[in-house]
Amino acid sequence: MYQRKYYNIIKERINEERIAIQVIAGPRQVGKSTVVSQVLDDIEIPYISETADAIDPNNSEWVSTIWANARSVMEVRKHKEFLLVIDEIQKINNWSEFVKKEWDYDTRNKINIKVILLGSSRLLIKKGLTESLAGRYELIRMGHWSFTEMRDAFGFDINQYIYYGGYPQGAKYIKNEKRWKDYIKDSIIEPIVSKDILMTTTIYKPALLKQLFELACDYSGEILSLTKMLGQLNDAGNVTTLSNYIDLLSDCQAVTKLHKYANDNARKFNSIPKYQVYNTALMSANTGRGFEKEYTDSKRWGRWAESAVGAYLVNNAEEFGYQVYYWREDNMEVDFILEKKGKTIAIEVKSGRREINNGISIFSKKFSPKLAIVVGSGAFSFEEFFTMDLGNLFEE
């Protein structure tokens, strides 16, 4: 079975001395539980692994019950250390308060129980961490699968990755595109808009949220004002509501909005947004055309290629500490601007979508970026770019 890089990170954390709760968070269907299972198969430390999947959400005492069981097993069997793994922790109401209570009890009494928490909703996990567990946890951010991973694990070529994206479970369905689309819609999109967000936030217009999600995916790689977007939605709403909904979808690592790069924050955050999916599968699942038709239409395929590059950039932004923007002035545009500690990198995607665009040279004259990169025809190939370590771009 394929091992992601997170396997080694989790295993190292388990073998360390008890320092903090290890929280594994990330988008749906990226294999969080699978990686932990692989680690549990290969460690010597005794453990108990539980899931809250079928537990009554109001049964918050369940957390204390399984924790007490772990202490009993540890004491009876005279273990010097023990590991407690709880999956789908976000499904228990007030889970973070009970975790805090039990963790602090063990800390005061020098009980060497190490803890791993997993959640299928990054949004729900984030809410609990910020409310109760500050200073008590380390976050392992498990992202969408990269091209390298999908290639090595499932044999994807670059064009398959650009279209089908990086959901490992979906890889087995790509020979039957209708079945693949059903999987993406039923197992990923529907839970995001109907469960994850609704469980953490009061949404007065859930139908509007779903329409907005679909429209933002359709416009991935495009610059569109929220006012114009509002005009394309059937349900009534306002610009502030749409902006808040997009922020929630970004917290779920589904789709986000990029701001225009500028020298001051006011101009950045008041700009017209550009929409960007975290995984191109979310675009492809809603298109009425199939892979072959999209791939052979050079103009439309350019949107997929640009969105795939953007997805790679936003998925790695948190880990490497950079911000992602776009830049546009008159009819000149640069697809992506990365900024970190005052340094910028300009990235333009060339795949037949535009005939000529001097945006990257104009941007370079105005802002003197550290690097100016062209991805696609006549430059860095998509294969080369998607295997590039983005953490090295800002190094001297």
Side-chain angles (χ1 to χ4, degrees):
M1 187 178 293
Y2 185 82
Q3 289 182 352
R4 303 190 74 189
K5 65 179 182 180
Y6 306 102
Y7 170 92
N8 291 325
I9 296 172
I10 296 168
K11 191 172 182 180
E12 288 172 4
R13 299 279 178 90
I14 291 173
N15 289 326
E16 291 175 350
E17 65 181 50
R18 181 183 183 272
I19 300 173
I21 299 167
Q22 300 300 316
V23 180
I24 302 172
R28 283 184 170 270
Q29 298 291 313
V30 297
K32 296 183 289 294
S33 300
T34 299
V35 175
V36 171
S37 295
Q38 291 174 334
V39 174
L40 294 180
D41 287 340
D42 292 342
I43 61 173
E44 296 181 359
I45 177 174
Y47 68 87
I48 289 177
S49 181
E50 300 281 356
T51 179
D53 199 31
I55 305 300
D56 182 348
N58 295 316
N59 185 13
S60 302
E61 287 290 343
W62 176 80
V63 175
S64 296
T65 300
I66 63 169
W67 213 299
N69 183 43
R71 292 190 190 110
S72 297
V73 172
M74 183 180 180
E75 182 177 355
V76 169
R77 296 179 180 172
K78 308 299 181 184
H79 296 307
K80 294 182 179 179
E81 61 179 355
F82 201 80
L83 175 65
L84 175 61
V85 180
I86 309 177
D87 199 357
E88 299 288 1
I89 185 66
Q90 84 285 344
K91 294 189 176 181
I92 302 297
N93 295 334
N94 299 319
W95 64 269
S96 56
E97 290 292 337
F98 283 83
V99 168
K100 175 186 175 182
K101 181 183 74 171
E102 302 301 335
W103 177 264
D104 287 353
Y105 176 89
D106 287 349
T107 301
R108 288 193 305 270
N109 293 280
K110 294 181 172 57
I111 299 173
N112 192 18
I113 295 181
K114 302 173 182 179
V115 179
I116 293 178
L117 304 178
L118 299 91
S120 60
S121 168
R122 187 185 183 208
L123 187 62
L124 291 167
I125 287 286
K126 178 181 177 182
K127 186 173 185 288
L129 296 178
T130 55
E131 287 179 348
S132 303
L133 294 176
R136 294 172 175 85
Y137 72 92
E138 288 183 284
L139 186 61
I140 299 174
R141 301 172 178 86
M142 191 172 295
H144 290 278
W145 283 52
S146 66
F147 165 63
T148 301
E149 291 174 314
M150 295 300 287
R151 179 196 63 195
D152 294 348
F154 305 107
F156 270 33
D157 63 32
I158 189 62
N159 294 318
Q160 287 175 320
Y161 180 73
I162 287 173
Y163 182 82
Y164 292 108
Y167 286 113
Q169 187 69 16
K172 63 183 70 173
Y173 301 132
I174 64 171
K175 292 183 179 179
N176 182 336
E177 191 158 335
K178 181 184 183 304
R179 190 177 178 187
W180 176 82
K181 288 182 177 182
D182 288 343
Y183 163 76
I184 298 297
K185 292 176 182 178
D186 297 340
S187 298
I188 297 168
I189 295 175
E190 186 62 26
I192 289 173
V193 298
S194 299
K195 293 182 181 179
D196 295 353
I197 293 177
L198 297 183
M199 288 176 67
T200 59
T201 311
T202 300
I203 301 294
Y204 295 103
K205 296 179 178 292
L208 178 63
L209 173 65
K210 187 171 184 178
Q211 291 175 35
L212 175 64
F213 175 79
E214 293 175 353
L215 190 61
C217 290
D218 289 342
Y219 276 96
S220 181
E222 301 293 330
I223 301 169
L224 183 69
S225 71
L226 290 172
T227 302
K228 289 184 178 179
M229 180 174 277
L230 188 62
Q232 298 191 43
L233 297 168
N234 296 327
D235 204 345
N238 58 58
V239 169
T240 301
T241 299
L242 295 189
S243 182
N244 291 338
Y245 285 1
I246 287 287
D247 289 341
L248 292 171
L249 291 167
S250 182
D251 282 337
C252 293
Q253 289 179 280
V255 62
T256 191
K257 60 181 186 286
L258 306 181
H259 296 287
K260 177 183 174 182
Y261 179 79
N263 282 325
D264 63 274
N265 288 333
R267 291 177 62 195
K268 283 178 182 176
F269 298 118
N270 290 325
S271 61
I272 298 174
K274 177 178 181 177
Y275 300 94
Q276 174 61 55
V277 292
Y278 278 85
N279 195 315
T280 51
L282 303 175
M283 294 173 62
S284 305
N286 286 316
T287 181
R289 294 149 52 109
F291 169 63
E292 291 298 331
K293 287 186 177 180
E294 298 294 1
Y295 174 62
T296 54
D297 185 330
S298 61
K299 185 175 181 179
R300 286 180 60 85
W301 187 247
R303 286 191 56 240
W304 259 264
E306 181 181 331
S307 290
V309 170
Y312 187 48
L313 296 175
V314 297
N315 275 303
N316 284 280
E318 198 169 20
E319 179 178 354
F320 295 122
Y322 58 76
Q323 300 293 319
V324 185
Y325 303 95
Y326 75 93
W327 179 79
R328 189 172 190 177
E329 188 172 284
D330 298 324
N331 63 339
M332 295 292 103
E333 182 180 343
V334 180
D335 293 321
F336 303 104
I337 306 298
L338 309 186
E339 182 184 42
K340 180 178 180 180
K341 297 180 179 179
K343 297 179 181 179
T344 60
I345 294 172
I347 299 175
E348 178 70 12
V349 182
K350 295 289 187 184
S351 58
R353 187 168 70 92
R354 301 187 186 95
E355 293 180 1
I356 297 175
N357 181 13
N358 293 321
I360 201 164
S361 61
I362 301 299
F363 180 87
S364 297
K365 291 177 182 177
K366 292 191 66 169
F367 297 101
S368 301
K370 180 178 183 294
L371 292 172
I373 297 173
V374 179
V375 182
S377 54
F380 283 98
S381 69
F382 287 104
E383 290 93 335
E384 187 177 5
F385 180 78
F386 286 130
T387 55
M388 183 184 296
D389 186 348
L390 298 178
N392 292 331
L393 293 180
F394 287 95
E395 293 184 359
E396 296 298 336

